[in-house]
C-alpha cells in the first residue's frame, strides 16, 4: 500500500526466455526494499500485468481511504479503540490532550494529509506558548505525553489501513526548544518553617495529613487513598497502592461529570511501594484512629465506613481541593509563606538527603521510576552534601595520620 507514497521504481529485465517487470512496494523489517514482480515471455504482457496491479491497488485504496479530519479520527480512536485497553485515569489524560492541544493545532487537517512538518510545528508551538492557563509554554514532559497520545492514535489508523505511515514516528520535538526549557526549581520548607508548621499543627485530620506527608513524602492523592488495611503497626509499614482522585464518571446514569473515588493505580508502576513509618508517625496514626472511632460512634449508621485513614468526619473521602483550601489556611495561620502541598514531599526528601540517607533509598521511598529522577529533582541539595562528604573524608584521613 506504500506505492503511492514512495517513489515508484519500475524495472524491466530481459531474462531469457522471459521479460520481468518489477515495482518497489515498501521495505522489509531490515529496511531493505520489497518488490512485486511480474514475468512473461512478452514485454507488453509483463507491462500490462504491472499496470493492472497498480490500477487494482488504486481502486482498493480509494474504497478504504479515510476522508475525515484528524479531529474526527481522534474522537473515533478514543471512544472506539483506546477506551478498550486503557485505565480511566489515562482516558481522562488523553481527553485533555486531544481537546486542549491536538485539536486546536492539527484537528482541521485531513488525516491522510497530516505531515511531519504539521506535527513538528505543533510541538514547537506547544513548547513556546502552549500553556492556556498561564503565560509561556508547556513542559517537555507534557509535550512528550502529547506526542505519545498522537502516536498511538495514528498507529491505530495505520493498522486500520486508513493511512500508510505514522507521521509521529518521524516527527521530532525540536532540540533547541528542549535546551531552553528550565526545570522548575524545588522549593521545600526551610527547617525553621518545618518546625514552625509541626508545632502549630493540632490533632485535626488535616494537620495529621500534613505531619504524615512530612514523615513519608507521600503525594496528596496517595495520602487520601490510604486505608487502615494498608498500615501494618507490627512492622511499622504503609503500603502505597492506590489514591483518591476526582474521576470522570462515564456511567449512563451519572448526575455529574466527575465523582470522588479510589483510583486503584498509582502514578507509575514504581509508585506502588512499601514505606516504613517512624515511631513518632506510628504513634500519631494510632491516636488518630481512636479519634476516628469517636466520629463513628457520633454518626452511627450514617457513618460512611469506607476504611479510610483520612476521611471527613462522616467517613467519606476528603476532596483534594477542599484539603488544599484548608492546608493554605493552616500555613497562613501558622505565619508561613505559601507553599504548595507538593512542597511537603520535597521537604521530606531534602531533609532525608541532608540527614545522610542514601539517594537510592530516598528514591525508593518517593516511588521514583529511576534514581536519576531523584538526582535531577534534588540537585540543589547534592552540592552541599558533596561538600560535607569531602570534609568527612578529609577529617578521617587526617585523624588516621595523627594516629
Amino acid at each position: 500500500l506504500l506505492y503511492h507514497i514512495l517513489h515508484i521504481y519500475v524495472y524491466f529485465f530481459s531474462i531469457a526466455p522471459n521479460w520481468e517487470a518489477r515495482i518497489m512496494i515498501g521495505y522489509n523489517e531490515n529496511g531493505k526494499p520489497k518488490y512485486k514482480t511480474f514475468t512473461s515471455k512478452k514485454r507488453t504482457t509483463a507491462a500490462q500485468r504491472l499496470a493492472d496491479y497498480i490500477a487494482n491497488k488504486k481502486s482498493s485504496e480509494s474504497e478504504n481511504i479515510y476522508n475525515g479530519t484528524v479531529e474526527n479520527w481522534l474522537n473515533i480512536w478514543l471512544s472506539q479503540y483506546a477506551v478498550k485497553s486503557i485505565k480511566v485515569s489515562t482516558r481522562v489524560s488523553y481527553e485533555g490532550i486531544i481537546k486542549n492541544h491536538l485539536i486546536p493545532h492539527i484537528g482541521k487537517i485531513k488525516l491522510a494529509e497530516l505531515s511531519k512538518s504539521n506535527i513538528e510545528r505543533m510541538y514547537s508551538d506547544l513548547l513556546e506558548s502552549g500553556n492556556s492557563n498561564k503565560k509561556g509554554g508547556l513542559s517537555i514532559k507534557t509535550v512528550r505525553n502529547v506526542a505519545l497520545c498522537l502516536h498511538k492514535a495514528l498507529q491505530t489508523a495505520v493498522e486500520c489501513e486508513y493511512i500508510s505511515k505514522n507521521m509521529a514516528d518521524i516527527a521530532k520535538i525540536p532540540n533547541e526548544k528542549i535546551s531552553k526549557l528550565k526545570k522548575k526549581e524545588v522549593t521545600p520548607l526551610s527547617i525553621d518553617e518545618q518546625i514552625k508548621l509541626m508545632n502549630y499543627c493540632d490533632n485535626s485530620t488535616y494537620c495529621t495529613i500534613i505531619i504524615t506527608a512530612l514523615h513519608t513524602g507521600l503525594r496528596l492523592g496517595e495520602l487520601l487513598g490510604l486505608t487502615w488495611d494498608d498500615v501494618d503497626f507490627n512492622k511499622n509499614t504503609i503500603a502505597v497502592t492506590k489514591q483518591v482522585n476526582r474521576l470522570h464518571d462515564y456511567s449512563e446514569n451519572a448526575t455529574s461529570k466527575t465523582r470522588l473515588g479510589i483510583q486503584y493505580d498509582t502514578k507509575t508502576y514504581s509508585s506502588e511501594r512499601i514505606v516504613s513509618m517512624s515511631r513518632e508517625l506510628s504513634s500519631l496514626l494510632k491516636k488518630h484512629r481512636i479519634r476516628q472511632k469517636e466520629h463513628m460512634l457520633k454518626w452511627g449508621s450514617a457513618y460512611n465506613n469506607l476504611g479510610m485513614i483520612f476521611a471527613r468526619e462522616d467517613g467519606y473521602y476528603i476532596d483534594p481541593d477542599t484539603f488544599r483550601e484548608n492546608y493554605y489556611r493552616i500555613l497562613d495561620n501558622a505565619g508561613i509563606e505559601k507553599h504548595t502541598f507538593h512542597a511537603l514531599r520535597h521537604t521530606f526528601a531534602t531533609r532525608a538527603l541532608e540527614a545522610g540517607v542514601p539517594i537510592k533509598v530516598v528514591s525508593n521511598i518517593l516511588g521514583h521510576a529511576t534514581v536519576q529522577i531523584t538526582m535531577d529533582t534534588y540537585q540543589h541539595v547534592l552540592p552541599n552534601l558533596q561538600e560535607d562528604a569531602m570534609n568527612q573524608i578529609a577529617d578521617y584521613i587526617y585523624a588516621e595520620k595523627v594516629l
Side-chain angles (χ1 to χ4, degrees), residues 5-42:
I5 290 180
L6 301 169
H7 292 292
I8 298 178
Y9 296 101
V10 179
Y11 300 93
F12 287 93
F13 298 92
S14 176
I15 307 175
N18 292 329
W19 282 87
E20 180 180 290
R22 182 190 301 176
I23 181 172
M24 189 175 77
I25 58 172
Y27 296 90
N28 62 24
E29 58 185 13
N30 297 320
K32 295 183 178 180
K34 292 169 59 177
Y35 296 96
K36 183 73 175 176
T37 302
F38 305 90
T39 60
S40 176
K41 292 181 179 180
K42 295 182 178 180

mmCIF file of all heavy atoms in Angstrom, residues 5-42:
data_model
loop_
_atom_site.group_PDB
_atom_site.id
_atom_site.type_symbol
_atom_site.label_atom_id
_atom_site.label_comp_id
_atom_site.label_asym_id
_atom_site.label_seq_id
_atom_site.Cartn_x
_atom_site.Cartn_y
_atom_site.Cartn_z
ATOM 1 N N ILE A 5 3.015 6.529 -2.043
ATOM 2 C CA ILE A 5 3.795 7.492 -1.262
ATOM 3 C C ILE A 5 5.271 7.409 -1.629
ATOM 4 O O ILE A 5 5.955 8.410 -1.759
ATOM 5 C CB ILE A 5 3.595 7.228 0.237
ATOM 6 C CG1 ILE A 5 2.161 7.619 0.618
ATOM 7 C CG2 ILE A 5 4.570 8.015 1.085
ATOM 8 C CD1 ILE A 5 1.830 7.405 2.051
ATOM 9 N N LEU A 6 5.763 6.200 -1.769
ATOM 10 C CA LEU A 6 7.163 6.018 -2.141
ATOM 11 C C LEU A 6 7.350 6.345 -3.610
ATOM 12 O O LEU A 6 6.397 6.377 -4.388
ATOM 13 C CB LEU A 6 7.578 4.557 -1.883
ATOM 14 C CG LEU A 6 7.421 4.072 -0.443
ATOM 15 C CD1 LEU A 6 7.609 2.563 -0.397
ATOM 16 C CD2 LEU A 6 8.425 4.750 0.443
ATOM 17 N N HIS A 7 8.579 6.635 -3.976
ATOM 18 C CA HIS A 7 8.877 6.771 -5.400
ATOM 19 C C HIS A 7 8.630 5.416 -6.056
ATOM 20 O O HIS A 7 9.013 4.374 -5.528
ATOM 21 C CB HIS A 7 10.339 7.174 -5.599
ATOM 22 C CG HIS A 7 10.628 8.553 -5.114
ATOM 23 N ND1 HIS A 7 10.120 9.676 -5.707
ATOM 24 C CD2 HIS A 7 11.367 8.994 -4.070
ATOM 25 C CE1 HIS A 7 10.534 10.748 -5.066
ATOM 26 N NE2 HIS A 7 11.282 10.358 -4.065
ATOM 27 N N ILE A 8 7.976 5.410 -7.208
ATOM 28 C CA ILE A 8 7.668 4.148 -7.880
ATOM 29 C C ILE A 8 8.820 3.805 -8.826
ATOM 30 O O ILE A 8 9.113 4.528 -9.772
ATOM 31 C CB ILE A 8 6.352 4.247 -8.678
ATOM 32 C CG1 ILE A 8 5.200 4.537 -7.721
ATOM 33 C CG2 ILE A 8 6.099 2.975 -9.463
ATOM 34 C CD1 ILE A 8 3.865 4.707 -8.405
ATOM 35 N N TYR A 9 9.475 2.732 -8.500
ATOM 36 C CA TYR A 9 10.577 2.267 -9.331
ATOM 37 C C TYR A 9 10.113 1.043 -10.103
ATOM 38 O O TYR A 9 9.725 0.033 -9.500
ATOM 39 C CB TYR A 9 11.789 1.893 -8.472
ATOM 40 C CG TYR A 9 12.366 3.065 -7.727
ATOM 41 C CD1 TYR A 9 12.076 3.257 -6.378
ATOM 42 C CD2 TYR A 9 13.172 3.996 -8.372
ATOM 43 C CE1 TYR A 9 12.580 4.339 -5.678
ATOM 44 C CE2 TYR A 9 13.692 5.081 -7.682
ATOM 45 C CZ TYR A 9 13.396 5.246 -6.342
ATOM 46 O OH TYR A 9 13.902 6.319 -5.671
ATOM 47 N N VAL A 10 10.091 1.158 -11.397
ATOM 48 C CA VAL A 10 9.674 0.042 -12.246
ATOM 49 C C VAL A 10 10.867 -0.392 -13.089
ATOM 50 O O VAL A 10 11.528 0.433 -13.706
ATOM 51 C CB VAL A 10 8.499 0.452 -13.176
ATOM 52 C CG1 VAL A 10 8.110 -0.730 -14.055
ATOM 53 C CG2 VAL A 10 7.314 0.924 -12.352
ATOM 54 N N TYR A 11 11.140 -1.689 -13.048
ATOM 55 C CA TYR A 11 12.270 -2.226 -13.783
ATOM 56 C C TYR A 11 11.767 -3.273 -14.772
ATOM 57 O O TYR A 11 10.873 -4.061 -14.458
ATOM 58 C CB TYR A 11 13.272 -2.891 -12.836
ATOM 59 C CG TYR A 11 13.845 -1.971 -11.799
ATOM 60 C CD1 TYR A 11 13.257 -1.875 -10.547
ATOM 61 C CD2 TYR A 11 14.960 -1.186 -12.082
ATOM 62 C CE1 TYR A 11 13.763 -1.032 -9.590
ATOM 63 C CE2 TYR A 11 15.480 -0.337 -11.121
ATOM 64 C CZ TYR A 11 14.878 -0.259 -9.879
ATOM 65 O OH TYR A 11 15.377 0.577 -8.932
ATOM 66 N N PHE A 12 12.355 -3.274 -15.953
ATOM 67 C CA PHE A 12 12.097 -4.320 -16.929
ATOM 68 C C PHE A 12 13.408 -5.027 -17.206
ATOM 69 O O PHE A 12 14.438 -4.389 -17.483
ATOM 70 C CB PHE A 12 11.540 -3.729 -18.235
ATOM 71 C CG PHE A 12 10.109 -3.270 -18.114
ATOM 72 C CD1 PHE A 12 9.811 -1.966 -17.784
ATOM 73 C CD2 PHE A 12 9.069 -4.161 -18.315
ATOM 74 C CE1 PHE A 12 8.504 -1.544 -17.658
ATOM 75 C CE2 PHE A 12 7.749 -3.750 -18.205
ATOM 76 C CZ PHE A 12 7.466 -2.434 -17.873
ATOM 77 N N PHE A 13 13.386 -6.333 -17.081
ATOM 78 C CA PHE A 13 14.580 -7.118 -17.334
ATOM 79 C C PHE A 13 14.294 -8.124 -18.445
ATOM 80 O O PHE A 13 13.200 -8.706 -18.481
ATOM 81 C CB PHE A 13 15.013 -7.892 -16.078
ATOM 82 C CG PHE A 13 15.374 -7.000 -14.923
ATOM 83 C CD1 PHE A 13 14.423 -6.641 -13.986
ATOM 84 C CD2 PHE A 13 16.666 -6.515 -14.803
ATOM 85 C CE1 PHE A 13 14.738 -5.820 -12.936
ATOM 86 C CE2 PHE A 13 16.989 -5.700 -13.740
ATOM 87 C CZ PHE A 13 16.045 -5.345 -12.805
ATOM 88 N N SER A 14 15.246 -8.298 -19.241
ATOM 89 C CA SER A 14 15.141 -9.353 -20.253
ATOM 90 C C SER A 14 15.873 -10.565 -19.721
ATOM 91 O O SER A 14 17.101 -10.609 -19.695
ATOM 92 C CB SER A 14 15.771 -8.902 -21.583
ATOM 93 O OG SER A 14 15.735 -9.967 -22.517
ATOM 94 N N ILE A 15 15.075 -11.501 -19.193
ATOM 95 C CA ILE A 15 15.660 -12.709 -18.629
ATOM 96 C C ILE A 15 15.216 -13.871 -19.506
ATOM 97 O O ILE A 15 14.078 -14.360 -19.391
ATOM 98 C CB ILE A 15 15.181 -12.933 -17.177
ATOM 99 C CG1 ILE A 15 15.447 -11.676 -16.351
ATOM 100 C CG2 ILE A 15 15.851 -14.152 -16.556
ATOM 101 C CD1 ILE A 15 14.900 -11.750 -14.956
ATOM 102 N N ALA A 16 16.071 -14.199 -20.462
ATOM 103 C CA ALA A 16 15.698 -15.213 -21.463
ATOM 104 C C ALA A 16 15.220 -16.480 -20.773
ATOM 105 O O ALA A 16 15.850 -16.960 -19.837
ATOM 106 C CB ALA A 16 16.906 -15.529 -22.358
ATOM 107 N N PRO A 17 14.041 -17.006 -21.187
ATOM 108 C CA PRO A 17 13.256 -16.514 -22.334
ATOM 109 C C PRO A 17 12.147 -15.570 -21.914
ATOM 110 O O PRO A 17 11.198 -15.362 -22.673
ATOM 111 C CB PRO A 17 12.679 -17.808 -22.909
ATOM 112 C CG PRO A 17 12.427 -18.640 -21.677
ATOM 113 C CD PRO A 17 13.512 -18.302 -20.710
ATOM 114 N N ASN A 18 12.170 -14.969 -20.675
ATOM 115 C CA ASN A 18 11.069 -14.143 -20.178
ATOM 116 C C ASN A 18 11.478 -12.689 -19.978
ATOM 117 O O ASN A 18 12.664 -12.366 -19.807
ATOM 118 C CB ASN A 18 10.570 -14.690 -18.833
ATOM 119 C CG ASN A 18 9.881 -16.027 -18.967
ATOM 120 O OD1 ASN A 18 9.264 -16.300 -19.987
ATOM 121 N ND2 ASN A 18 10.003 -16.858 -17.947
ATOM 122 N N TRP A 19 10.422 -11.824 -19.946
ATOM 123 C CA TRP A 19 10.583 -10.439 -19.517
ATOM 124 C C TRP A 19 10.042 -10.316 -18.100
ATOM 125 O O TRP A 19 9.071 -10.978 -17.737
ATOM 126 C CB TRP A 19 9.812 -9.476 -20.435
ATOM 127 C CG TRP A 19 10.510 -9.212 -21.741
ATOM 128 C CD1 TRP A 19 10.413 -9.936 -22.875
ATOM 129 C CD2 TRP A 19 11.417 -8.144 -22.001
ATOM 130 N NE1 TRP A 19 11.201 -9.416 -23.856
ATOM 131 C CE2 TRP A 19 11.835 -8.283 -23.352
ATOM 132 C CE3 TRP A 19 11.921 -7.076 -21.259
ATOM 133 C CZ2 TRP A 19 12.722 -7.416 -23.956
ATOM 134 C CZ3 TRP A 19 12.793 -6.199 -21.869
ATOM 135 C CH2 TRP A 19 13.199 -6.374 -23.196
ATOM 136 N N GLU A 20 10.696 -9.469 -17.299
ATOM 137 C CA GLU A 20 10.274 -9.277 -15.905
ATOM 138 C C GLU A 20 10.034 -7.801 -15.636
ATOM 139 O O GLU A 20 10.881 -6.959 -15.951
ATOM 140 C CB GLU A 20 11.348 -9.807 -14.943
ATOM 141 C CG GLU A 20 10.983 -9.656 -13.470
ATOM 142 C CD GLU A 20 12.074 -10.183 -12.549
ATOM 143 O OE1 GLU A 20 12.266 -11.414 -12.491
ATOM 144 O OE2 GLU A 20 12.744 -9.340 -11.900
ATOM 145 N N ALA A 21 8.861 -7.492 -15.038
ATOM 146 C CA ALA A 21 8.542 -6.117 -14.610
ATOM 147 C C ALA A 21 8.496 -6.116 -13.092
ATOM 148 O O ALA A 21 7.874 -6.999 -12.479
ATOM 149 C CB ALA A 21 7.211 -5.675 -15.186
ATOM 150 N N ARG A 22 9.133 -5.133 -12.495
ATOM 151 C CA ARG A 22 9.240 -5.112 -11.040
ATOM 152 C C ARG A 22 8.916 -3.713 -10.511
ATOM 153 O O ARG A 22 9.345 -2.713 -11.068
ATOM 154 C CB ARG A 22 10.654 -5.512 -10.617
ATOM 155 C CG ARG A 22 10.863 -5.558 -9.100
ATOM 156 C CD ARG A 22 12.317 -5.721 -8.728
ATOM 157 N NE ARG A 22 12.918 -6.922 -9.276
ATOM 158 C CZ ARG A 22 14.201 -7.235 -9.148
ATOM 159 N NH1 ARG A 22 15.018 -6.396 -8.511
ATOM 160 N NH2 ARG A 22 14.663 -8.349 -9.675
ATOM 161 N N ILE A 23 8.170 -3.656 -9.382
ATOM 162 C CA ILE A 23 7.838 -2.382 -8.742
ATOM 163 C C ILE A 23 8.125 -2.475 -7.256
ATOM 164 O O ILE A 23 7.825 -3.486 -6.619
ATOM 165 C CB ILE A 23 6.350 -2.003 -8.981
ATOM 166 C CG1 ILE A 23 6.043 -0.649 -8.325
ATOM 167 C CG2 ILE A 23 5.409 -3.075 -8.449
ATOM 168 C CD1 ILE A 23 4.651 -0.119 -8.675
ATOM 169 N N MET A 24 8.748 -1.442 -6.712
ATOM 170 C CA MET A 24 9.030 -1.421 -5.279
ATOM 171 C C MET A 24 7.750 -1.063 -4.521
ATOM 172 O O MET A 24 7.081 -0.073 -4.831
ATOM 173 C CB MET A 24 10.127 -0.414 -4.947
ATOM 174 C CG MET A 24 10.617 -0.518 -3.496
ATOM 175 S SD MET A 24 12.007 0.565 -3.131
ATOM 176 C CE MET A 24 11.146 2.124 -2.972
ATOM 177 N N ILE A 25 7.397 -1.869 -3.517
ATOM 178 C CA ILE A 25 6.146 -1.664 -2.779
ATOM 179 C C ILE A 25 6.356 -1.333 -1.302
ATOM 180 O O ILE A 25 5.395 -1.259 -0.532
ATOM 181 C CB ILE A 25 5.238 -2.913 -2.907
ATOM 182 C CG1 ILE A 25 5.968 -4.154 -2.369
ATOM 183 C CG2 ILE A 25 4.798 -3.118 -4.345
ATOM 184 C CD1 ILE A 25 5.083 -5.380 -2.282
ATOM 185 N N GLY A 26 7.603 -1.162 -0.893
ATOM 186 C CA GLY A 26 7.864 -0.840 0.506
ATOM 187 C C GLY A 26 9.200 -1.371 0.968
ATOM 188 O O GLY A 26 10.100 -1.628 0.148
ATOM 189 N N TYR A 27 9.344 -1.555 2.282
ATOM 190 C CA TYR A 27 10.591 -2.038 2.864
ATOM 191 C C TYR A 27 10.272 -3.163 3.840
ATOM 192 O O TYR A 27 9.221 -3.181 4.482
ATOM 193 C CB TYR A 27 11.313 -0.913 3.620
ATOM 194 C CG TYR A 27 11.754 0.229 2.731
ATOM 195 C CD1 TYR A 27 10.908 1.314 2.509
ATOM 196 C CD2 TYR A 27 13.000 0.212 2.112
ATOM 197 C CE1 TYR A 27 11.296 2.363 1.691
ATOM 198 C CE2 TYR A 27 13.396 1.258 1.289
ATOM 199 C CZ TYR A 27 12.543 2.328 1.079
ATOM 200 O OH TYR A 27 12.929 3.353 0.267
ATOM 201 N N ASN A 28 11.213 -4.094 3.959
ATOM 202 C CA ASN A 28 11.036 -5.170 4.932
ATOM 203 C C ASN A 28 11.529 -4.710 6.298
ATOM 204 O O ASN A 28 11.970 -3.565 6.469
ATOM 205 C CB ASN A 28 11.733 -6.452 4.480
ATOM 206 C CG ASN A 28 13.253 -6.280 4.331
ATOM 207 O OD1 ASN A 28 13.846 -5.389 4.953
ATOM 208 N ND2 ASN A 28 13.876 -7.120 3.527
ATOM 209 N N GLU A 29 11.472 -5.601 7.279
ATOM 210 C CA GLU A 29 11.833 -5.226 8.651
ATOM 211 C C GLU A 29 13.300 -4.858 8.799
ATOM 212 O O GLU A 29 13.690 -4.205 9.772
ATOM 213 C CB GLU A 29 11.499 -6.380 9.605
ATOM 214 C CG GLU A 29 12.192 -7.682 9.264
ATOM 215 C CD GLU A 29 11.739 -8.823 10.159
ATOM 216 O OE1 GLU A 29 10.720 -8.666 10.867
ATOM 217 O OE2 GLU A 29 12.412 -9.864 10.140
ATOM 218 N N ASN A 30 14.120 -5.264 7.852
ATOM 219 C CA ASN A 30 15.550 -4.913 7.880
ATOM 220 C C ASN A 30 15.851 -3.633 7.123
ATOM 221 O O ASN A 30 17.008 -3.236 6.992
ATOM 222 C CB ASN A 30 16.387 -6.062 7.302
ATOM 223 C CG ASN A 30 16.268 -7.331 8.123
ATOM 224 O OD1 ASN A 30 16.244 -7.263 9.353
ATOM 225 N ND2 ASN A 30 16.179 -8.475 7.460
ATOM 226 N N GLY A 31 14.800 -2.988 6.584
ATOM 227 C CA GLY A 31 14.995 -1.738 5.864
ATOM 228 C C GLY A 31 15.347 -1.913 4.398
ATOM 229 O O GLY A 31 15.645 -0.934 3.707
ATOM 230 N N LYS A 32 15.292 -3.119 3.912
ATOM 231 C CA LYS A 32 15.618 -3.355 2.502
ATOM 232 C C LYS A 32 14.349 -3.280 1.657
ATOM 233 O O LYS A 32 13.263 -3.646 2.109
ATOM 234 C CB LYS A 32 16.285 -4.714 2.340
ATOM 235 C CG LYS A 32 17.645 -4.806 3.038
ATOM 236 C CD LYS A 32 18.299 -6.159 2.780
ATOM 237 C CE LYS A 32 19.672 -6.229 3.446
ATOM 238 N NZ LYS A 32 20.342 -7.531 3.212
ATOM 239 N N PRO A 33 14.464 -2.812 0.402
ATOM 240 C CA PRO A 33 13.280 -2.665 -0.456
ATOM 241 C C PRO A 33 12.580 -3.994 -0.715
ATOM 242 O O PRO A 33 13.213 -5.042 -0.833
ATOM 243 C CB PRO A 33 13.867 -2.093 -1.748
ATOM 244 C CG PRO A 33 15.158 -1.469 -1.353
ATOM 245 C CD PRO A 33 15.693 -2.319 -0.252
ATOM 246 N N LYS A 34 11.244 -3.919 -0.809
ATOM 247 C CA LYS A 34 10.433 -5.080 -1.196
ATOM 248 C C LYS A 34 9.863 -4.816 -2.587
ATOM 249 O O LYS A 34 9.478 -3.678 -2.895
ATOM 250 C CB LYS A 34 9.295 -5.279 -0.188
ATOM 251 C CG LYS A 34 9.740 -5.700 1.189
ATOM 252 C CD LYS A 34 8.593 -5.619 2.183
ATOM 253 C CE LYS A 34 7.426 -6.496 1.789
ATOM 254 N NZ LYS A 34 6.347 -6.445 2.818
ATOM 255 N N TYR A 35 9.814 -5.864 -3.413
ATOM 256 C CA TYR A 35 9.362 -5.712 -4.796
ATOM 257 C C TYR A 35 8.225 -6.670 -5.120
ATOM 258 O O TYR A 35 8.120 -7.760 -4.546
ATOM 259 C CB TYR A 35 10.519 -5.976 -5.764
ATOM 260 C CG TYR A 35 11.657 -4.984 -5.647
ATOM 261 C CD1 TYR A 35 12.781 -5.280 -4.863
ATOM 262 C CD2 TYR A 35 11.614 -3.764 -6.307
ATOM 263 C CE1 TYR A 35 13.813 -4.369 -4.745
ATOM 264 C CE2 TYR A 35 12.648 -2.857 -6.199
ATOM 265 C CZ TYR A 35 13.746 -3.165 -5.413
ATOM 266 O OH TYR A 35 14.781 -2.270 -5.303
ATOM 267 N N LYS A 36 7.369 -6.209 -6.023
ATOM 268 C CA LYS A 36 6.357 -7.073 -6.629
ATOM 269 C C LYS A 36 6.811 -7.329 -8.058
ATOM 270 O O LYS A 36 7.125 -6.389 -8.794
ATOM 271 C CB LYS A 36 4.993 -6.387 -6.621
ATOM 272 C CG LYS A 36 3.868 -7.236 -7.164
ATOM 273 C CD LYS A 36 3.486 -8.328 -6.182
ATOM 274 C CE LYS A 36 2.261 -9.101 -6.688
ATOM 275 N NZ LYS A 36 1.931 -10.234 -5.792
ATOM 276 N N THR A 37 6.849 -8.605 -8.461
ATOM 277 C CA THR A 37 7.440 -8.972 -9.757
ATOM 278 C C THR A 37 6.407 -9.652 -10.654
ATOM 279 O O THR A 37 5.608 -10.476 -10.194
ATOM 280 C CB THR A 37 8.636 -9.915 -9.541
ATOM 281 O OG1 THR A 37 9.587 -9.256 -8.699
ATOM 282 C CG2 THR A 37 9.298 -10.267 -10.862
ATOM 283 N N PHE A 38 6.451 -9.314 -11.960
ATOM 284 C CA PHE A 38 5.582 -9.917 -12.968
ATOM 285 C C PHE A 38 6.454 -10.374 -14.134
ATOM 286 O O PHE A 38 7.305 -9.599 -14.617
ATOM 287 C CB PHE A 38 4.534 -8.915 -13.475
ATOM 288 C CG PHE A 38 3.717 -8.303 -12.357
ATOM 289 C CD1 PHE A 38 4.160 -7.130 -11.739
ATOM 290 C CD2 PHE A 38 2.557 -8.905 -11.931
ATOM 291 C CE1 PHE A 38 3.419 -6.569 -10.716
ATOM 292 C CE2 PHE A 38 1.816 -8.350 -10.896
ATOM 293 C CZ PHE A 38 2.247 -7.184 -10.290
ATOM 294 N N THR A 39 6.254 -11.592 -14.590
ATOM 295 C CA THR A 39 7.080 -12.129 -15.686
ATOM 296 C C THR A 39 6.204 -12.617 -16.836
ATOM 297 O O THR A 39 5.053 -13.019 -16.632
ATOM 298 C CB THR A 39 7.947 -13.296 -15.195
ATOM 299 O OG1 THR A 39 7.109 -14.334 -14.693
ATOM 300 C CG2 THR A 39 8.905 -12.845 -14.108
ATOM 301 N N SER A 40 6.768 -12.531 -18.021
ATOM 302 C CA SER A 40 6.083 -13.037 -19.220
ATOM 303 C C SER A 40 7.105 -13.180 -20.349
ATOM 304 O O SER A 40 8.168 -12.538 -20.329
ATOM 305 C CB SER A 40 4.966 -12.084 -19.656
ATOM 306 O OG SER A 40 4.366 -12.533 -20.856
ATOM 307 N N LYS A 41 6.759 -14.004 -21.304
ATOM 308 C CA LYS A 41 7.647 -14.143 -22.466
ATOM 309 C C LYS A 41 7.605 -12.890 -23.324
ATOM 310 O O LYS A 41 8.526 -12.647 -24.118
ATOM 311 C CB LYS A 41 7.246 -15.360 -23.294
ATOM 312 C CG LYS A 41 7.507 -16.690 -22.579
ATOM 313 C CD LYS A 41 7.114 -17.856 -23.458
ATOM 314 C CE LYS A 41 7.406 -19.182 -22.746
ATOM 315 N NZ LYS A 41 7.031 -20.362 -23.585
ATOM 316 N N LYS A 42 6.507 -12.097 -23.168
ATOM 317 C CA LYS A 42 6.388 -10.869 -23.946
ATOM 318 C C LYS A 42 6.506 -9.660 -23.016
ATOM 319 O O LYS A 42 5.923 -9.629 -21.943
ATOM 320 C CB LYS A 42 5.044 -10.824 -24.671
ATOM 321 C CG LYS A 42 4.871 -11.903 -25.726
ATOM 322 C CD LYS A 42 3.534 -11.735 -26.425
ATOM 323 C CE LYS A 42 3.345 -12.783 -27.525
ATOM 324 N NZ LYS A 42 2.041 -12.611 -28.209
#
